[in-house]
Amino acid sequence: MQGKTAASRNLASCHICLKLADASLHECPRCGEPLHLRKSNSLQRTLALLVTACVLYIPANILPIMVTDQFGNSTDSTILGGVVLLIDMGSVPIAAIIFIASVMVPLGKLIALFYVCWSVGTGRTTDPRQRTVLYRAAELIGKWSMVDVFVVSILVALVHLTGLLVILPGAAAVAFAGVVIVTIVAAESFDPRMIWDQQDVINE
Amino acid sequence: MATPASAGLVACPSCDLLFDVGGMRHGEKAVCTRCGDFLTRVRDDCFLKLQSYAISGLVSLMIACAFPFLSFESSGLESIMTLPQTAQQLYDQGRPDLAFLVAGFIIVIPAAVLGLLTVLSTCIIRQRYYPWMVPVTRLVFHVQNWSMVEVFFIGVLVSLVKIAHMATVVIGISFWAYGAFALCFVASVGNLDRLQYWNELERLAGLKRAG
Ligand SMILES: [Zn+2]
Ligand SMILES: [Zn+2]
């Protein structure tokens, strides 16, 4: 026995306070947030943000995330270079954390969000539950990719005061922070209810 | 034309299916049967917990900002780093953009969320309602996802390993205080149930209107 959706009764659910209100209202009667049956232009906005994140991902990996200056010799290190260096130093678990947080999480998140957008755009009706879980997982793990940016900031502050060695944040740190922020906003602008709309229309 | 929604009716935020969650008792949790998303959890003591974790978190953060976070010893030179210096050094090194982001994610946003939650939960516990509580609560729900306290804590652990071969790093009081702050933040926000919170606020507003 399948229940009814809010949209089928022309009710809009507020994403801030979960109040159900007549979809013709422009504002939530309880909290004042703009009210929509579905997030407006969700697919186009999410895709535009995902493309932006992909573009930012290129300098984030090519440019140095950290510049180390010791007795006049400066060494640049990229995100992947940092991972290789950690493996050479024998810190495999830490290398794994950085690799997962800086490479697998952002790429996995981009792929997952592109996939759910594509599945909604082409009107797929199979396994909606798996796609919803995938979307929610992508939303949840997003901020963990900030780890490397934080590591760079801590190293900069920590090492600076000794004067022996200088560590400077590289341009990739800004680009990478941009990737993380843009993908978080992209995940927020995607409306997972679109995954179910196709089959709800069929069932009616 | 919309069919009027009965009290206690809620739509799953992920799949829009309607559920009646009215009449739930303490300790009960509602989950969407179709997509598995979390709907709401009823806890009679959630506002008290929200308040106490928020206050403990703020106190921990004050300690974390005032004392040494990490100290670093290399060739007989010792330097002490405090938590706000993480952001300040980025600013001094010509990366103000990064400095503001880091300060926002690890200190400003989480501190603002806990500060506002302390005030809001105190008002609710005392059964007071003021119109400003509505926009302030909305703001809290908008920014709470942007706190990265737990991510920063992992970042500190990674940095400690990265730097271990260069010098001896000593962990300061504020490192533990920041850990406590991260735990209190997660615990406080964990007691902030969207539906229960707004229902209570709406009930208080109704009481005030009735005089
Ligand atoms: Zn609302
Ligand atoms: Zn659902």
Side-chain angles (χ1 to χ4, degrees):
Chain A
M1 166 65 208
Q2 191 66 274
K4 286 210 128 199
T5 62
S8 72
R9 290 177 56 179
N10 206 22
L11 291 169
S13 167
C14 172
H15 71 114
I16 289 289
C17 74
L18 298 176
K19 176 94 178 169
L20 286 167
D22 191 319
S24 60
L25 294 174
H26 296 294
E27 267 183 8
C28 170
R30 176 151 74 175
C31 71
E33 186 72 8
L35 200 64
H36 306 283
L37 209 50
R38 293 291 178 265
K39 290 176 189 167
S40 47
N41 299 324
S42 173
L43 217 50
Q44 292 91 319
R45 279 197 56 193
T46 312
L47 282 170
L49 289 162
L50 288 179
V51 170
T52 313
C54 287
V55 172
L56 279 171
Y57 195 67
I58 300 166
N61 277 286
I62 293 175
L63 298 176
I65 192 159
M66 201 165 85
V67 181
T68 316
D69 203 326
Q70 192 169 19
F71 314 118
N73 293 325
S74 83
T75 344
D76 290 358
S77 59
T78 57
I79 292 176
L80 276 174
V83 173
V84 174
L85 195 72
L86 279 168
I87 295 172
D88 287 345
M89 276 162 55
S91 331
V92 178
I94 297 294
I97 291 180
I98 296 290
F99 185 74
I100 292 170
S102 311
V103 181
M104 285 170 69
V105 168
L107 281 182
K109 190 172 175 179
L110 285 174
I111 293 168
L113 289 176
F114 268 123
Y115 171 70
V116 288
C117 281
W118 171 80
S119 78
V120 168
T122 55
R124 263 178 82 98
T125 51
T126 51
D127 19 278
R129 188 176 170 133
Q130 278 92 320
R131 282 183 284 143
T132 312
V133 171
L134 182 71
Y135 163 72
R136 279 208 302 270
E139 199 184 21
L140 209 69
I141 58 171
K143 64 177 170 183
W144 287 95
S145 6
M146 261 329 243
V147 165
D148 217 16
V149 175
F150 290 146
V151 169
V152 171
S153 14
I154 295 160
L155 292 182
V156 167
L158 198 55
V159 165
H160 175 75
L161 299 150
T162 61
L164 289 170
L165 183 74
V166 178
I167 293 183
L168 294 171
V174 184
F176 195 77
V179 173
V180 179
I181 292 166
V182 173
T183 49
I184 291 177
V185 179
E188 256 175 32
S189 58
F190 180 80
D191 195 330
R193 292 171 294 191
M194 295 188 301
I195 296 174
W196 298 86
D197 284 343
Q198 206 75 29
Q199 75 156 43
D200 286 338
V201 170
I202 293 165
N203 286 347
E204 236 144 69
Chain B
M1 202 36 225
T3 338
S6 65
L9 208 60
V10 67
C12 169
S14 287
C15 76
D16 213 30
L17 201 62
L18 290 168
F19 292 93
D20 190 353
V21 293
M24 279 171 66
R25 276 194 307 263
H26 174 70
E28 286 181 332
K29 177 183 162 186
V31 173
C32 173
T33 51
R34 181 159 82 161
C35 74
D37 199 5
F38 170 82
L39 296 173
T40 185
R41 180 186 281 121
V42 178
R43 285 200 204 104
D44 295 340
D45 55 353
C46 68
F47 295 108
L48 275 173
K49 281 190 173 163
L50 189 66
Q51 185 196 38
S52 44
Y53 284 125
I55 294 172
S56 325
L58 285 174
V59 172
S60 310
L61 182 66
M62 279 175 212
I63 299 171
C65 286
F67 290 95
F69 194 67
L70 296 171
S71 53
F72 179 92
E73 211 177 293
S74 171
S75 324
L77 286 165
E78 200 203 18
S79 54
I80 290 165
M81 185 191 102
T82 62
L83 184 64
Q85 268 176 343
T86 349
Q88 200 213 317
Q89 283 297 334
L90 289 173
Y91 189 88
D92 293 346
Q93 304 289 339
R95 284 264 168 243
D97 37 14
L98 217 51
F100 284 116
L101 285 180
V102 170
F105 289 149
I106 69 168
I107 302 173
V108 181
I109 292 177
V113 166
L114 289 191
L116 294 176
L117 283 178
T118 305
V119 176
L120 291 166
S121 57
T122 307
C123 290
I124 289 183
I125 290 165
R126 293 187 177 173
Q127 300 283 292
R128 299 272 167 78
Y129 172 84
Y130 306 98
W132 53 259
M133 288 167 77
V134 172
V136 172
T137 306
R138 234 171 84 196
L139 178 73
V140 170
F141 277 107
H142 273 293
V143 299
Q144 58 153 338
N145 284 335
W146 291 96
S147 152
M148 299 195 181
V149 281
E150 64 283 42
V151 183
F152 181 72
F153 202 72
I154 299 295
V156 177
L157 297 178
V158 172
S159 324
L160 285 177
V161 175
K162 270 197 154 182
I163 211 157
H165 72 287
M166 288 191 240
T168 330
V169 177
V170 182
I171 291 169
I173 302 171
S174 108
F175 173 85
W176 303 109
Y178 194 82
F181 167 63
L183 285 177
C184 288
F185 184 88
V186 173
S188 183
V189 170
N191 274 288
L192 180 64
D193 188 285
R194 218 174 266 272
L195 189 69
Q196 301 307 322
Y197 184 98
W198 283 103
N199 281 348
E200 182 66 11
L201 203 58
E202 197 175 40
R203 193 183 68 81
L204 291 176
L207 284 180
K208 182 153 184 175
R209 235 177 284 123

